[in-house]
Amino acid sequence: MQRDHFMHAGLIVAILTGIALGVPNVSAQVVVSGNPKCEDLGYEFGFKPQPEPPPSGTYPFPNDPNHSVTITSDRSTFDWQSTLPVDAVIVKGGENSNVYEYTPGAFGGSQLRAPVNPNNGKTYDISHIDFCYGCTSGLHISKTAETSFTREYEWGISKTVFPETWQLFNGDTGISQFTVAAERTISSDSDWAVSGVITIVNDTHEEATIESVTDEISGIGAVAVDCGVTFPHSLACGETLVCEYSTPLPDGATRTNTATVVASGGIGAEAMADIVFSDPTTTINAEINVDDNKGSSWLFTQSGVQTYQQSFTCGRDEGLTQNIATIRETGQFDDAIVAVQCYDLEVEKDASAAFNQTWDWTIEKSAYPEQVTLSPGQTFVAEYHVIVDATSTAAALQASGSIVITNNNPARDAILAGVVDILSPDIAATVSCPAFSVPAGGQVTCTYSADLPDETARTNTATVSLQNHIFALDGSASPAGTTDYSASADVVFSGDPGISDECINLSDPLTDFTDVNPVCVDDGLPATFEYSANIGPFCEEDCHDPCFEFVNTVTY
């Protein structure tokens, strides 16, 4: 019949038997000029695999995706296998096409090629391939089973911080790290359902009357099917009827879904599909957003942890700081609290003023006579004359006192960057401290002194500079500025000045000053003292030429 079609179309170039060509299963091979299509040659359907020429592979038929053709090609020849009967194969190459006819329709063929090039006697490379087919002898039914269900996730959230307590000095900074942990668990699955299509293709040579289309799920029973037509329904050769079904299911168990088509004349078909649930089609809270009241937000697609750091500075963040992390979708939250305790140094000082008058003394001594001539063994009475006097120097003015530094922080030693003491308007005192670290909860006492130019009342201010720090998570500290603490005291001169060296005691090996001592400036100066002493006797050995000196010294 196909050859008659070719003759009527006037397309035949040559007809050769398949046996003569050595091509198995071919009833006839026709060389057709040009680029014929299956419909041009009288066939009902044509299928041209893409790309052109098709490489080795499997290609589904466009009007029946449940059937396919598999090609094994080396570009010059190819073999093919089909899941439905094929009536002819058109192989294009050069200016003409080879048409391979199969009577009856075949499910495969081999060694197919394009026409021969008359110029060189070699086969042309294949340009493209068409598979021609028509209705066969039955109804073909296929079905799909698409599952769906909803999965709702449950979340938990926790927030922690380290360190959670800071005991700092004013001006210090501590860095804490917050950890936000979100944990996802499966709470429940629900809304199981299955839906799909049942595709019915009439591959008979005659019109088919569809009496019914039913669908049944194992363990569930019959499911309503909507084909959009009333039954019985006539389905012409080559026509397709698509039906739909959809039903909820009680759980996610694996089941079998069977579709059955009943047609008149005893023609019918059946198709099965497994109902298998895998990933949920709808999720609730599969991912969440966590908002932190400090401005950060994170997206969690699974259980996870986020961390961030925050600085706490005394003088700004004293007290309790609450950080809250909230799941935006559920409203769940957790918090972490940092307690910041701030401490100051306490400085106390006193001041005393003193001025002293110092006396400088002079002493003069003379003897009469200053020279005498004696015989060996002879004595002589000499007269001694002592005069003492004193002069007063200017009074020395001075301020002095103590500076007591108390560390009120029970947890940290206070490191001092410096201690200075200034008397108004700008007189610096000399300060001495036993240590520049004040133990936690302890004290250090420094002393100071300063010479003053006059008796003017002044203000004395001590300033203690605390070395501030930034404390990291591991407790390590980095210097970061200083904080000053001050205390003042008045410097006032009052009362009599202190007096130094206002009296002296005299001594002389030739006389006793017991009745005279002490000699004081209040006794009246200058003061004169006279006394005598025997000189000699001297032996002849004591004498020297020209004389012997007898030295007598008075001291105070």
Side-chain angles (χ1 to χ4, degrees):
M1 178 183 71
Q2 284 82 359
R3 284 194 295 274
D4 291 341
H5 285 172
F6 297 157
M7 294 296 291
H8 293 163
L11 298 175
I12 295 178
V13 175
I15 300 177
L16 304 174
T17 63
I19 295 175
L21 294 172
V23 179
N25 202 33
V26 174
S27 59
Q29 175 185 338
V30 180
V31 179
V32 180
S33 63
N35 185 18
K37 297 180 180 180
C38 291
E39 292 80 356
D40 298 334
L41 304 180
Y43 295 103
E44 292 168 298
F45 306 110
F47 168 42
K48 183 183 295 183
Q50 299 293 321
E52 300 176 1
S56 297
T58 298
Y59 303 87
F61 285 92
N63 62 337
D64 192 350
N66 291 311
H67 292 287
S68 61
V69 61
T70 300
I71 297 172
T72 304
S73 171
D74 63 5
R75 289 185 61 86
S76 61
T77 63
F78 68 94
D79 300 337
W80 65 274
Q81 295 290 328
S82 173
T83 59
L84 59 74
V86 173
D87 296 320
V89 178
I90 302 173
V91 184
K92 176 72 168 60
E95 298 296 329
N96 301 317
S97 301
N98 272 343
V99 178
Y100 295 87
E101 293 184 276
Y102 299 91
T103 305
F107 290 89
S110 61
Q111 302 178 26
L112 276 67
R113 65 189 68 206
V116 174
N117 185 343
N119 296 322
N120 55 20
K122 296 181 179 180
T123 302
Y124 282 108
D125 286 340
I126 297 172
S127 172
H128 62 258
I129 303 169
D130 280 275
F131 291 89
C132 305
Y133 59 100
C135 292
T136 56
S137 59
L139 293 176
H140 291 94
I141 179 172
S142 62
K143 77 178 318 294
T144 62
E146 301 294 334
T147 57
S148 64
F149 72 98
T150 298
R151 174 166 292 171
E152 183 173 1
Y153 292 87
E154 185 175 278
W155 289 85
I157 187 169
S158 65
K159 187 170 189 179
T160 57
V161 63
F162 176 81
E164 57 185 359
T165 299
W166 285 106
Q167 292 176 293
L168 306 171
F169 294 103
N170 270 308
D172 284 351
T173 296
I175 300 175
S176 292
Q177 178 166 292
F178 290 88
T179 299
V180 178
E183 182 178 4
R184 189 181 77 172
T185 57
I186 298 176
S187 175
S188 61
D189 290 341
S190 61
D191 300 333
W192 292 278
V194 63
S195 63
V197 295
I198 303 167
T199 303
I200 306 161
V201 180
N202 182 8
D203 282 337
T204 66
H205 289 287
E206 299 176 353
E207 184 179 85
T209 300
I210 308 299
E211 299 289 346
S212 65
V213 178
T214 59
D215 192 78
E216 186 172 340
I217 298 176
S218 59
I220 300 297
V223 176
V225 177
D226 181 8
C227 297
V229 298
T230 58
F231 295 106
H233 174 71
S234 296
L235 192 64
C237 173
E239 284 190 341
T240 299
L241 176 64
V242 177
C243 304
E244 298 179 350
Y245 72 96
S246 177
T247 184
L249 296 174
D251 53 45
T254 299
R255 296 175 169 86
T256 301
N257 183 208
T258 304
T260 302
V261 177
V262 176
S264 60
I267 301 174
E270 188 178 85
M272 300 177 65
D274 290 331
I275 299 176
V276 179
F277 290 89
S278 54
D279 295 329
T281 51
T282 302
T283 59
I284 300 175
N285 294 334
E287 59 184 33
I288 58 168
N289 293 276
V290 174
D291 300 323
D292 193 274
N293 67 327
K294 290 302 177 182
S296 297
S297 294
W298 305 280
L299 174 66
F300 287 88
T301 58
Q302 58 186 354
S303 298
V305 173
Q306 292 287 344
T307 61
Y308 68 93
Q309 295 181 0
Q310 184 176 348
S311 297
F312 297 89
T313 300
C314 269
R316 181 191 67 194
D317 302 312
E318 185 174 6
L320 300 179
T321 298
Q322 182 185 36
N323 281 19
I324 304 174
T326 304
I327 298 177
R328 190 186 305 168
E329 288 77 7
T330 67
Q332 296 168 266
F333 69 90
D334 195 19
D335 67 352
I337 297 175
V338 176
V340 180
Q341 299 172 328
C342 300
Y343 297 91
D344 289 308
L345 295 183
E346 184 179 338
V347 179
E348 299 176 285
K349 78 177 316 298
D350 57 24
S352 61
F355 54 102
N356 296 315
Q357 188 174 21
T358 302
W359 290 89
D360 292 327
W361 289 82
T362 61
I363 185 168
E364 295 180 7
K365 183 177 184 180
S366 60
Y368 180 80
E370 292 184 352
Q371 182 175 321
V372 65
T373 301
L374 298 177
S375 301
Q378 184 180 2
T379 62
F380 178 78
V381 177
E383 300 292 335
Y384 288 93
H385 188 78
V386 175
I387 301 172
V388 294
D389 200 358
T391 58
S392 175
T393 61
L397 306 177
Q398 191 177 64
S400 63
S402 61
I403 304 167
V404 180
I405 308 167
T406 301
N407 178 4
N408 293 315
N409 191 326
R412 296 187 186 278
D413 294 349
I415 307 302
L416 305 183
V419 180
V420 297
D421 193 90
I422 303 295
L423 294 96
S424 59
D426 193 20
I427 301 173
T430 300
V431 179
S432 176
C433 295
F436 273 77
S437 176
V438 186
Q443 288 183 334
V444 165
T445 299
C446 303
T447 59
Y448 72 93
S449 63
D451 293 331
L452 302 176
D454 52 46
E455 300 175 27
T456 302
R458 303 174 189 277
T459 299
N460 179 214
T461 301
T463 301
V464 177
S465 295
L466 170 71
Q467 178 64 63
N468 289 123
H469 295 89
I470 297 176
F471 295 94
L473 295 175
D474 60 3
S476 60
S478 302
T482 59
T483 300
D484 290 342
Y485 298 90
S486 298
S488 297
D490 292 332
V491 178
V492 179
F493 289 90
S494 62
D496 296 332
I499 301 176
S500 299
D501 298 334
E502 70 274 22
C503 296
I504 62 173
N505 290 306
L506 296 173
S507 64
D508 192 308
L510 298 182
T511 187
D512 184 4
F513 283 102
T514 302
D515 295 338
V516 174
N517 289 328
V519 179
C520 298
V521 294
D522 292 341
D523 296 337
L525 296 177
T528 302
F529 304 98
E530 295 180 348
Y531 56 94
S532 60
N534 290 327
I535 304 301
F538 300 103
C539 62
E540 188 171 349
E541 289 80 4
D542 293 328
C543 295
H544 299 277
D545 186 21
C547 65
F548 172 77
E549 290 185 349
F550 181 81
V551 179
N552 171 236
T553 304
V554 62
T555 60
Y556 68 90

